[in-house]
Structure formats: C-alpha cells, structure tokens
Amino acid sequence: MMTKIALSFEFPDNLNVEKFITKLNKKIEYKLVSEHYMQKSFYDSFDWRLYNAHVLCEFNQSKNDSSLILKNSTTADNIALIKIDQVPCFANEFNRSALAYKLANLLEMRALLPLTTLELNVYKLNILNNDQKTVARLIIEDYWQFRCRVTIQPIKGYHKAAVNLHQLLVNSLSLTVIRKPILLAALKLQGRKVNDYSSKLNLQFDPDMPAGKAVKRIYKTLLKTIQINEQGVIDAIDSEFLHDFRVAIRRTRSGLSQLKRIFPSEITTYYSEYFAWLGSITSLTRDMNVYLLNIDAYKSSIPQYMREDLNPLEDFLLVKQKLAQEFLVEKLNSKKYKILLGEWEQYLKQFPAKETSPKKVLTIKQLADTQIWKVYQRVIQEGAVITKNTPAQSLHDLRKTCKKLRYLIEFFQNLYSINKIKALIKSLKGVQEVLGDFQDYEVQEDALRLFSDEMMRQQKVSSSTLLDMGVLVQKLDEKRCKARDEFARFFTEFNNPANKIIFKSLFAANSKKGK
Amino acid sequence: MKVIATYNIKGGVGKTSTTVNLAYLAAKNSHRTLVWDLDPQGASSYYFRVKPKVKGGSKTLISGKCELNGLIKGTDFDYLDLLPADFSFRNLDLVLDGRKNPTQRLQKLLQPLADEYEYIFLDCPPNISLLSEAIFEATDILLSPLIPTTLSLRTLDQLKAFIKENKNKLKNLELIYFFSMADQRKKMHKEIIASFSKQHPDLLDIIIPYASDIEKMGIKRMPLGAYTQKGRSIEAYRALWEAILKRLI
C-alpha cells in the first residue's frame, strides 16, 4: 500500500529560495528546469461551486506560457490542465477537454469569475535518479506577499521518490506541511473568505427569541441577498444572479404573507405590493433565460436532422432576452426600486420588533410551529382532493402552497432536528418538482405557441422551424402528461404515515388543532 | 481512447522512433497518452529512461491479476506515461496461448484505461504471431513504417493478406503505411518510393527521413521533439501525427 504524504510545504522565516536550493544540492540530484515570474489568478463561481467541490481553479500566466489548472484543494494534486490565453466566462465556451468537462459538471450555468491575483516567482526542479530520469518534481512558489511555498509533484510509478522527498523537506530542511491553499490567505488580505456567499438560508435562532427579532433577521438576510446579486443581475454576468435575486424576493413575499403578525398590517401591505412589483419586473427576463438555458434540451428532444432548424427560435429568444434585460435594468435603476428598497432597509433597522401581545412575547419557535403546521395541513388538504380529473389550476395552487411550506421550513430549519427536517424537505421537494414540471411544461407549451405567432408576424420563420416548434410542443405535452401521472406517487410518498408523525411531533405542539 | 499500434513484420524499420515521437507530439498537445512497450528489447523504455521491468513479468500482466494502471510509469513529459517492457515479453505468445480467447486478451486488459488515456500507442515487436493478432484486435489504427527496400515492402503484402483473411474480426482496423528511414540520396530508395507510390495510392504521402537527428534519440534518450524544434525529421513526424488525427476524427 502506498504511504499517503503531504505535498505542500511552507518555508520557515529564515529560509529563502537560494538557500533552499543550496541545501538541496547537498542532498539529492536535481535539475533546475525553469525560473520565471508568474501571475496566479484564482477563479470560481459567485457561489463557490468549485471550492465546495474541493477544486481550485488557477490561471497561471508567465512570459512564455499561460495555463488554466484545476487542482484538488486538499491534496494539491493536479486534476486537469489546459494551455489557454484567456479564461472564458462559461464552461461551454472552452474547447472540448477533460478540464472543460469537469468545469461544466461543477459550474453548470454559472460564470467563472476572477477572485484574486498574486505575483510570484516560480522555480521548477526535476528530481533525478541514477539514469537521469525525473522521478519527482518540486515547484517552488516565491510569493511577493506571502511566505514561500514548495509543492511536490509526484511522478506516476515513482511513489517512493516522493516519500523520500517529503521526508527530506520535513526532517532535514524543517519545512512545515501546509494543508490550506494560498487562496485563503489571499482572500483574507482582501477582507474576504471562501463561501462568503451562498443562496441557501442557514439562520440560527434561539427557540425563545422574540418572533419579531427573528423575522427581522430573516428579512435582513434576504435583503442582503437581493443587494449582493443586484449588480450581477444588472451586468447579466450569468442567469443565477437573477435566479437568486428572485428567490430572495419570493421568500420575502412569502414571509410577509405567512408571518403577518409581526409587522403592522399597513406596513405588510405596503411592502407586499412593492415586492410583488419587484417580482413582476424580473419575470420576463427570467423566463427568457430559462428558455435559452433549455435550448440544448429542446434540440436534443427532436431528431438530429431537425435540430438546426431551431436556430431561428434561439435567435428570436436572444433578441427577446436582450429587450427584457434592458427593461429590467431600467427598472432596477428607477427611483421606485431604489427608494423603496432603501426604505425597507431603514425600516428593518429601525423596527423595534415590538410584540403585538403586551402580556406574553411570541417566541420564534411558537410562530414557526404554528405557521408550518397550518401550511402543512393546507398542503395535505389541497393535495388529498386532487384526482386525475381535477383541473390544472388546483395543481398550480397546490404548487404555490408547497412553496410557502418549503420557505417556512427553510427559514426555521435550525430550530428542529436537522435529520428530520432534511427528510421532510427531500420528500416535499419530490412533490414540488413534479408540480413544477407540470407547470413549466404547460407554460413552455403556451409560450412556444405565442412565439410561433410572433415569429410569423415578423415573417422571420420558415416552415421547418415552425414544424420543429410543433414537435417541441408535442414533446412538452407528453412530458406534462407524464408529470401529471406521477403526481399521485410523489404526493402519497410525502403524505406517508411516517412523515405525518414527524410533522405532528415537530410542529403541532404550539397549535390548538394539532394537540 | 484510441489505440494506435506501430507494427511491421520486419524489424529495424523505425517502429520505436515512430511510437515515441508520435506519443510525444500527442502529449505535447495535452492529450493524455500512454506508450506500451510490448517489445522485449525495451527500446521505448530505454528512450524514456525507464527500467524495462514489469513486476511479475508477462504471466502476471496477461493474467490480469495486476491492473495495468499499477505498472505504469510517468515519463519526464507531461501527459505522457509508459508501460515498460520486460524481458519476459519474449514469451508473450506462449502466455497468451495458454489463455481463453487469447486474441481478445489485450483489448480486455486495455479497457480499464479508457478513462485515463486518450491515446494508447503500442510499440510492437516484429514478427507475426498470436500476440500480433491480439494487437490487431485491440487496435484502431495499425501504423506500419516501411523502409524503401524490397524485403520491407514484401512484408506489407503479407500483412495486408493477413488482415484480409481476418476481415470479420478486424473490420474496425485501419491500416496506415508510410515510408520510414528513407534516404533520398540513395538512388534505389528514390526509385522504390516513386514506383511504390504509383502502385499504392493509399500510401501515406509522408516520408520519415533517415536522419542523424533521429538517431541521436539513442544518445539523448528522449523523443526528438524534446531536443529539436526544427528540421525535416520533426516536421515529418508532425505531419504524420496530423494525418493520423485526421483519420481518427
């Protein structure tokens, strides 16, 4: 079995590259193969998808070479490398390679954004055996702002040489093993840290915390998400900025409608209207983004020889998306958007979290229990009456109720047993996905019909494109029917006796009906 | 994964130089590449400075008890690995003969490497044998260097006849042949090349010259491209690799 060894080390204070190489000279045979200045830039998505998958993305530029490397953030092993002069924004803009494939899987629709750039001198040393064969490599990185680091690059089939090198560096040259990538130190210098943005809610509450104070914290977190994503939405860096922006708006709206007892009713109404408007101005752009994200799936759902005929639809969508984006940017630069969002921020700062009941302060646990239990029961009631013949509207209504339940559970998930909550969310997600699919396919069918009318009016469409769109509508309709058929199975799974017991045990305690 | 075998029934036609230099060019373009030195003489292993030694020898290797991946050595070049030769490979025919479905054995052994490598080059020993058949069945492109001599050309006819006889089993095999070690100063070489080219329109229009810079590979112990960037020889190998890539697409 191979001995697992650390591969990255840091120099002690009293050591520099020259001294290190001199010391090495006496211990092993090596060849200095290169020495050059380099700029090392780190990249990741806005929501740290690479780092969270233990992947570092480095773009290394020197005078004669520039390459993009994916590394394992824990072991420093190279995962994939390509020679490239500029870093494309999206995974699908890379030429076909192992690196592009890996990036596509991790990033999906997210853009690859630069995080920070470091300047350094790099020394590459080949460690040789008696046949002058390279059996390991040493990469010395002499950073301008940080201590020097050295990394062992083992060569396949020469593990023993890497082990010997490791022992030499630690025992004879007193280097310290490092397990954290230089990226962390570089971000710290910028006052940043990894995972400083996540679209997921992870709010910690004391169960006895006054409900007003806790709800205010929820809204503040959501407001921060809106603000953080705002520029990305305006710049249209990738479609997920708008997605997260909209989710934060929907969550805020859901909070305002579900947690009514917290704010005075006129305030709730005032901001409910504002966030409803904010949701509505983003809808068209999001719809167009979704159609464009689906275009490859649309193409692959029809026979290969027909696929090219869908290109005019893609062009049509791109024009519509551009117009929708311009409209959205105009609205996000409007006084209404800015003033009301500022007012909301001020209100959250000033709101004294005064409880409506002077006698007894409503705790967040009581509020969460009551609301989740109430909405859960609504989900069960609405779902239980749905049969094969129920109008589609009832399924759409249930979808909205499920969404409200999901948001409430996510707001307050840390008040409950995490394993139980995860299981509930998983089973609720199943129902939501099937209802979401049912709705999406219907909306897409309708939209394609509208688009075909519009394209015909513009006289920009050939009969073959219209034929393709007709086939697409048919495919979407098949999928919609399938989703409808699958609903019963997912709802039964959600409404199983075990889930009922968990819901009751977790949330019914503070509800009169539940007792 | 594409498997490219460099093969000729005759020895000394430039098979190893072709293997090593093409593999180097593939790896230079960041394609994950493996050279499997199947020739017990171990010339490819020598060029890469790797000891011609495989733990357990040909028996263990062919039995599949030991995964090929564990026997692979990294070369001095990025993306380029080597499965070294072993003197016991002289008995590969005998070892294969003792197995069930011997001609499918190599293909089976290579399958687990499909995710690891984009190109696998097989540097084959001369002669036509059971091992050759196993190589043909595992291979996408059979690359056959020919010296412009009558004996060398005769072996091509033998090879073509063999492939024709076994066309059911080898329907996916593509034979590419080209002149190698051609000395344009020799009248005989020039004449043979001219007449053979006329008779064989499918002959690849690329000639690897007989050149001292290629011979130096033995002294430098590295592929040609690692120590020279210009000249007829490296240009010829580049053109050959381009031509192969076109066939592979």
Side-chain angles (χ1 to χ4, degrees):
Chain A
M1 211 175 104
M2 287 202 289
T3 323
K4 208 155 173 66
I5 52 163
L7 298 172
S8 294
F9 308 85
E10 194 172 63
F11 279 16
D13 271 341
N14 57 355
L15 192 64
N16 60 28
V17 178
E18 204 177 330
K19 272 189 196 171
F20 173 76
I21 292 178
T22 311
K23 283 186 176 184
L24 215 54
N25 206 8
K26 295 170 191 165
K27 314 269 184 193
I28 47 171
E29 189 163 357
Y30 69 87
K31 187 180 174 191
L32 178 65
V33 284
S34 69
E35 176 187 347
H36 56 268
Y37 165 79
M38 181 193 274
Q39 285 190 340
K40 185 190 285 289
S41 304
F42 287 94
Y43 282 74
D44 208 327
S45 68
F46 190 65
D47 53 0
W48 301 95
R49 290 182 184 204
L50 302 187
Y51 189 81
N52 286 326
H54 308 288
V55 172
L56 289 179
C57 179
E58 292 180 12
F59 182 46
N60 293 330
Q61 289 174 286
S62 54
K63 194 178 167 188
N64 299 318
D65 189 37
S66 76
S67 52
L68 192 74
I69 309 171
L70 298 186
K71 282 183 179 173
N72 182 309
S73 62
T74 319
T75 62
D77 284 338
N78 277 6
I79 299 168
L81 177 149
I82 50 165
K83 305 274 181 198
I84 200 166
D85 293 328
Q86 273 185 326
V87 182
C89 205
F90 293 98
N92 62 9
E93 292 168 359
F94 283 83
N95 289 333
R96 210 159 60 96
S97 65
L99 181 138
Y101 183 72
K102 179 89 182 167
L103 274 183
N105 277 341
L106 294 174
L107 290 173
E108 296 176 293
M109 72 299 283
R110 289 239 74 155
L112 195 57
L113 302 174
L115 294 167
T116 182
T117 298
L118 298 172
E119 290 184 279
L120 63 152
N121 286 326
V122 181
Y123 304 79
K124 287 186 183 176
L125 276 73
N126 286 348
I127 309 302
L128 307 172
N129 67 7
N130 292 338
D131 284 331
Q132 300 293 297
K133 159 90 181 77
T134 304
V135 288
R137 290 193 179 94
L138 271 185
I139 313 294
I140 306 168
E141 296 183 318
D142 191 7
Y143 291 97
W144 294 16
Q145 288 164 297
F146 303 100
R147 273 191 202 173
C148 202
R149 290 182 171 212
V150 61
T151 305
I152 300 174
Q153 273 186 359
I155 302 277
K156 194 170 186 171
Y158 296 92
H159 182 69
K160 205 174 162 188
V163 172
N164 291 342
L165 199 54
H166 172 273
Q167 283 167 356
L168 173 75
L169 297 183
V170 174
N171 301 336
S172 304
L173 301 173
S174 307
L175 303 196
T176 321
V177 171
I178 42 165
R179 307 212 180 268
K180 288 181 181 172
I182 194 87
L183 171 67
L184 303 196
L187 287 171
K188 201 175 172 186
L189 220 60
Q190 292 182 343
R192 287 190 66 184
K193 56 183 181 182
V194 288
N195 279 323
D196 54 6
Y197 173 76
S198 167
S199 60
K200 288 193 178 119
L201 279 178
N202 185 20
L203 296 157
Q204 301 291 335
F205 297 120
D206 178 343
D208 295 327
M209 182 188 253
K213 200 175 167 188
V215 171
K216 197 168 90 165
R217 195 193 289 171
I218 294 171
Y219 290 139
K220 276 187 170 178
T221 306
L222 295 171
L223 175 63
K224 201 175 159 197
T225 305
I226 291 171
Q227 290 168 328
I228 285 174
N229 282 287
E230 184 188 289
Q231 199 55 47
V233 173
I234 291 170
D235 296 340
I237 295 169
D238 66 42
S239 57
E240 283 303 281
F241 284 95
L242 181 58
H243 174 264
D244 288 2
F245 187 81
R246 276 169 57 82
V247 170
I249 292 167
R250 276 207 304 270
R251 280 176 170 156
T252 307
R253 287 178 68 192
S254 191
L256 287 167
S257 73
Q258 302 300 305
L259 310 168
K260 280 178 187 155
R261 284 183 278 173
I262 303 303
F263 294 155
S265 62
E266 68 277 12
I267 293 292
T268 302
T269 309
Y270 181 70
Y271 286 112
S272 292
E273 283 172 7
Y274 170 65
F275 283 105
W277 170 79
L278 199 47
S280 71
I281 61 164
T282 60
S283 293
L284 188 57
T285 314
R286 176 63 192 165
D287 287 349
M288 292 305 131
N289 287 349
V290 170
Y291 297 133
L292 284 167
L293 288 170
N294 280 341
I295 202 84
D296 286 340
Y298 287 163
K299 283 183 179 174
S300 56
S301 73
I302 58 175
Q304 187 141 19
Y305 69 91
M306 297 173 79
R307 290 176 191 169
E308 273 206 8
D309 293 329
L310 269 190
N311 290 346
L313 173 65
E314 189 173 0
D315 297 340
F316 172 82
L317 291 171
L318 282 166
V319 172
K320 277 189 94 70
Q321 197 272 351
K322 193 169 171 267
L323 291 172
Q325 175 68 16
E326 282 168 10
F327 167 81
L328 175 59
V329 171
E330 188 192 313
K331 295 294 172 196
L332 293 183
N333 285 322
S334 69
K335 280 185 183 168
K336 180 176 179 179
Y337 168 72
K338 288 183 177 170
I339 291 172
L340 266 82
L341 200 68
E343 281 178 7
W344 175 239
E345 188 173 14
Q346 276 308 311
Y347 184 76
L348 293 178
K349 271 184 198 164
Q350 288 161 7
F351 176 66
K354 193 178 81 182
E355 299 307 318
T356 46
S357 162
K359 287 180 188 170
K360 196 181 172 193
V361 174
L362 179 70
T363 68
I364 191 57
K365 178 75 167 54
Q366 288 166 334
L367 179 69
D369 285 355
T370 314
Q371 283 308 118
I372 293 173
W373 181 244
K374 196 171 117 186
V375 181
Y376 164 69
Q377 285 180 313
R378 249 179 75 193
V379 168
I380 299 301
Q381 279 163 15
E382 288 176 14
V385 294
I386 288 175
T387 64
K388 282 187 175 173
N389 303 318
T390 311
Q393 189 54 47
S394 302
L395 277 93
H396 300 328
D397 292 341
L398 176 62
R399 186 181 60 83
K400 288 180 193 165
T401 315
C402 284
K403 201 171 256 186
K404 285 172 185 167
L405 178 62
R406 173 84 175 272
Y407 287 158
L408 283 172
I409 295 177
E410 284 174 350
F411 286 161
F412 304 120
Q413 56 189 313
N414 288 321
L415 289 169
Y416 306 95
S417 151
I418 193 72
N419 289 337
K420 286 179 181 173
I421 286 290
K422 268 188 184 170
L424 292 182
I425 289 181
K426 193 181 167 195
S427 126
L428 176 60
K429 215 172 158 183
V431 182
Q432 281 189 284
E433 276 172 4
V434 79
L435 288 170
D437 285 348
F438 179 67
Q439 158 94 354
D440 287 349
Y441 295 137
E442 189 178 298
V443 170
Q444 288 176 51
E445 278 177 52
D446 292 344
L448 281 171
R449 284 197 199 96
L450 288 173
F451 294 157
S452 60
D453 286 346
E454 212 175 321
M455 287 164 84
M456 274 175 76
R457 278 200 303 277
Q458 292 174 358
Q459 295 179 331
K460 280 181 182 171
V461 65
S462 67
S463 55
S464 46
T465 302
L466 283 177
L467 184 67
D468 274 17
M469 290 169 75
V471 174
L472 261 186
V473 169
Q474 194 191 340
K475 296 274 177 195
L476 288 166
D477 198 59
E478 284 166 13
K479 286 182 178 176
R480 186 178 62 87
C481 293
K482 200 177 164 207
R484 166 106 202 199
D485 290 345
E486 283 186 334
F487 165 75
R489 181 164 64 87
F490 282 95
F491 186 75
T492 309
E493 165 59 26
F494 174 68
N495 196 24
N496 70 43
N499 273 1
K500 280 182 183 172
I501 292 169
I502 299 174
F503 265 104
K504 195 167 182 181
S505 68
L506 290 180
F507 309 113
N510 283 305
S511 166
K512 283 174 193 170
K513 282 181 192 169
K515 278 179 184 171
Chain B
M1 179 182 81
K2 294 287 178 192
V3 181
I4 301 158
T6 317
Y7 175 81
N8 193 315
I9 298 173
K10 195 181 173 309
V13 295
K15 287 189 300 289
T16 300
S17 315
T18 303
T19 308
V20 168
N21 289 326
L22 294 184
Y24 174 83
L25 291 173
K28 189 83 181 153
N29 288 319
S30 307
H31 294 298
R32 289 161 290 129
T33 306
L34 174 74
V35 171
W36 186 356
D37 189 355
L38 282 159
D39 190 338
Q41 291 179 55
S44 287
S45 308
Y46 179 81
Y47 282 146
F48 288 118
R49 298 169 191 264
V50 176
K51 284 193 183 95
K53 182 86 196 143
V54 169
K55 204 176 171 187
S58 51
K59 271 188 190 167
T60 312
L61 188 89
I62 295 297
S63 72
K65 280 179 194 164
C66 191
E67 273 187 27
L68 286 196
N69 206 14
L71 305 170
I72 291 170
K73 302 279 183 186
T75 70
D76 287 8
F77 310 100
D78 289 335
Y79 300 104
L80 184 50
D81 292 342
L82 176 86
L83 183 53
D86 190 276
F87 196 54
S88 65
F89 285 4
R90 69 191 187 281
N91 298 322
L92 270 174
D93 271 321
L94 289 173
V95 179
L96 275 174
D97 201 23
R99 304 286 310 186
K100 227 167 134 184
N101 302 321
T103 58
Q104 292 167 20
R105 195 66 205 146
L106 231 56
Q107 193 173 22
K108 207 169 174 185
L109 286 172
L110 287 171
Q111 266 165 8
L113 301 175
D115 289 339
E116 194 100 1
Y117 296 101
E118 291 164 83
Y119 298 111
I120 296 184
F121 287 83
L122 307 178
D123 186 16
C124 310
N127 219 333
I128 193 145
S129 60
L130 195 59
L131 173 64
S132 318
E133 287 182 53
I135 288 167
F136 297 166
E137 284 191 35
T139 296
D140 297 293
I141 284 186
L142 193 64
L143 199 57
S144 192
L146 307 168
I147 300 186
T149 61
T150 44
L151 277 183
S152 175
L153 300 183
R154 202 175 142 261
T155 58
L156 177 71
D157 293 335
Q158 290 172 324
L159 177 61
K160 279 184 167 179
F162 182 85
I163 294 173
K164 201 175 172 186
E165 271 171 37
N166 294 278
K167 64 181 175 193
N168 288 338
K169 274 199 271 181
L170 306 176
K171 54 180 180 273
N172 296 324
L173 182 73
E174 187 174 2
L175 174 67
I176 299 178
Y177 51 99
F178 59 96
F179 278 114
S180 158
M181 300 175 73
D183 190 344
Q184 298 283 10
R185 292 166 304 183
K186 285 185 180 170
K187 194 180 167 200
M188 190 191 75
H189 277 201
K190 278 172 86 171
E191 283 172 2
I192 288 179
I193 289 170
S195 69
F196 188 85
S197 304
K198 271 186 194 167
Q199 291 159 16
H200 296 82
D202 53 341
L203 170 80
L204 203 63
D205 187 21
I206 291 161
I207 299 171
I208 306 294
Y210 180 79
S212 59
D213 55 357
I214 300 175
E215 281 193 319
K216 275 183 193 158
M217 283 170 65
I219 300 163
K220 302 261 186 191
R221 294 185 73 180
M222 59 180 77
L224 180 66
Y227 59 87
T228 183
Q229 298 304 312
K230 284 181 186 168
R232 278 189 311 138
S233 309
I234 190 69
E235 290 304 333
Y237 281 118
R238 281 185 191 132
L240 180 58
W241 181 230
E242 286 298 318
I244 293 167
L245 280 178
K246 274 184 195 157
R247 299 277 183 103
L248 285 171
I249 291 168

